[in-house]
Amino acid sequence: MGVPKFFRYISERYPCLSELVREYQIPEFDNLYLDMNGIIHMCSHPDDGNPHFRITEEKIIKDIFHYIEVLFRMIRPQKLFFMAIDGVAPRAKMNQQRGRRFRSAKDAEKQTNQAIQRGETLPEEARFDSNCITPGTVFMARLHEQLKYLVVDKISNDPLWQQCTIILSGHETPGEGEHKIMDYIRYMRSQPGYDPNTRHCLYGLDADLIMLGLCTHEPHFSLLREEVKFGKKSKRTSVPEETTFFLLHLSLMREYLELEFMPLKDKLKGFEFDLEKIIDDWVCVCLT
């Protein structure tokens, strides 16, 4: 679930939140979480508006593997690497997803017809149908098997992967990827001996990850995402080497919110100024 224009609003209101990712200048993180559906969509159909674009399933899976490897080596988590793919969505979101799939199929058909009317010769191969990126499809089953193979291969041969706990939550596990990640963070926090100074890094494209990250009340939490270029003509790229990445530090945003609501401290006569409750209320107001 995204929140339209929210990331742009936050970036303009608090311009110091985002830090450009530079090699050898990345903070150390204990846990890295990937919301995988953003990577899958980016690698499978990076150019939606081009009816001539074709890509094979083998190339899609190779690009996904490469993207995962680049993100892992960029952050280098010390303790945990969690990959979450969207499972069956809650009932409240199914109608939205259904409408989105019908709309994408209709747009693809419209683009093909317009290209034929212009006299263009389209490739004989069928276009990749992005609607198959949904729980229960044959494509997702094959992708999940390939991801399990990747995990086994990396744990066997890569020393960086061997020092982490690797978790792959596939499409057969219900719930959206970001919510499965948040459930796991809440589970870790409930365990005895949990280190409250654990440093978390979450990769994802949805702006609601800002709110979900704040709601964890973790003091060290950052979001990793690609540079956002606003405008209809902006294009995505599935090549991570050509992508500019930013870290959005939610720990700094907590300080911004505390300063912004500090004038309430004098007005709350007889009540405690609790930053954690203020953050929860702020998130509720943003989503109403």
Side-chain angles (χ1 to χ4, degrees):
M1 180 193 74
V3 183
K5 299 183 181 179
F6 182 74
F7 180 76
R8 183 174 184 176
Y9 166 77
I10 290 297
S11 300
E12 293 173 351
R13 187 172 180 84
Y14 309 120
C16 296
L17 285 181
S18 296
E19 173 191 2
L20 177 65
V21 172
R22 297 184 178 91
E23 196 172 6
Y24 307 117
Q25 296 183 11
I26 301 174
E28 192 174 82
F29 290 99
D30 296 308
N31 300 345
L32 172 61
Y33 314 92
L34 301 186
D35 184 9
M36 287 291 297
N37 276 61
I39 299 175
I40 297 171
H41 281 282
M42 195 179 307
C43 293
S44 60
H45 54 109
D47 193 357
D48 284 331
N50 182 7
H52 296 269
F53 180 77
R54 298 293 186 272
I55 190 169
T56 63
E57 185 175 309
E58 181 181 0
K59 178 71 164 57
I60 292 172
I61 293 175
K62 284 183 178 179
D63 288 347
I64 292 172
F65 284 7
H66 180 60
Y67 218 100
I68 293 172
E69 177 68 13
V70 168
L71 293 178
F72 184 92
R73 291 193 170 270
M74 182 188 302
I75 300 299
R76 297 192 176 217
Q78 302 298 306
K79 297 180 180 178
L80 174 71
F81 182 41
F82 192 110
M83 294 178 283
I85 300 174
D86 284 359
V88 176
R91 181 67 183 87
K93 194 180 178 184
M94 286 185 177
N95 288 335
Q96 183 199 35
Q97 287 188 338
R98 188 176 293 114
R100 187 187 300 166
R101 293 184 185 117
F102 278 119
R103 191 160 50 250
S104 65
K106 185 176 180 180
D107 290 343
E109 183 182 6
K110 183 179 178 181
Q111 291 168 2
T112 301
N113 292 335
Q114 288 176 344
I116 294 175
Q117 290 174 2
R118 291 193 297 266
E120 300 176 10
T121 302
L122 298 177
E124 296 180 358
E125 299 86 359
R127 292 182 69 174
F128 176 79
D129 184 8
S130 61
N131 287 330
C132 70
I133 306 175
T134 188
T137 62
V138 175
F139 170 76
M140 293 302 292
R142 286 198 290 258
L143 174 60
H144 186 65
E145 290 301 317
Q146 293 294 328
L147 286 171
K148 288 197 291 186
Y149 167 79
L150 172 70
V151 171
V152 172
D153 178 67
K154 286 295 183 181
I155 291 176
S156 303
N157 302 312
D158 194 327
L160 290 177
W161 287 61
Q162 291 170 0
Q163 67 183 11
C164 292
T165 299
I166 312 295
I167 298 177
L168 172 62
S169 179
H171 67 109
E172 75 280 0
T173 305
E176 295 181 271
E178 60 264 36
H179 295 291
K180 291 194 282 187
I181 291 170
M182 293 301 148
D183 285 343
Y184 190 78
I185 293 176
R186 286 190 286 268
Y187 165 75
M188 287 192 299
R189 284 169 58 89
S190 68
Q191 298 303 301
Y194 173 75
D195 183 4
N197 291 315
T198 300
R199 298 155 298 184
H200 307 270
C201 181
L202 169 59
Y203 167 84
L205 302 177
D206 289 344
D208 63 323
L209 294 178
I210 298 174
M211 301 179 187
L212 292 173
L214 287 172
C215 287
T216 62
H217 301 290
E218 286 290 302
H220 306 292
F221 204 113
S222 298
L223 301 180
L224 176 68
R225 58 182 295 156
E226 293 88 358
E227 180 184 18
V228 177
K229 297 179 181 178
F230 302 108
K232 294 183 178 179
K233 295 184 179 180
S234 60
K235 289 186 177 181
R236 301 172 299 176
T237 175
S238 59
V239 183
E241 289 82 4
E242 299 176 1
T243 304
T244 303
F245 289 91
F246 283 89
L247 278 171
L248 191 147
H249 299 291
L250 296 183
S251 53
L252 182 57
M253 188 170 178
R254 287 168 55 89
E255 296 181 19
Y256 271 122
L257 291 174
E258 183 177 14
L259 289 173
E260 193 156 338
F261 288 97
M262 189 60 72
L264 292 176
K265 195 168 186 178
D266 297 330
K267 299 179 181 179
L268 293 174
K269 297 179 181 179
F271 295 93
E272 180 185 1
F273 181 84
D274 190 336
L275 177 61
E276 307 305 330
K277 292 181 180 178
I278 287 175
I279 288 175
D280 288 338
D281 291 342
W282 183 83
V283 170
C284 288
V285 170
C286 288
L287 292 176
T288 54

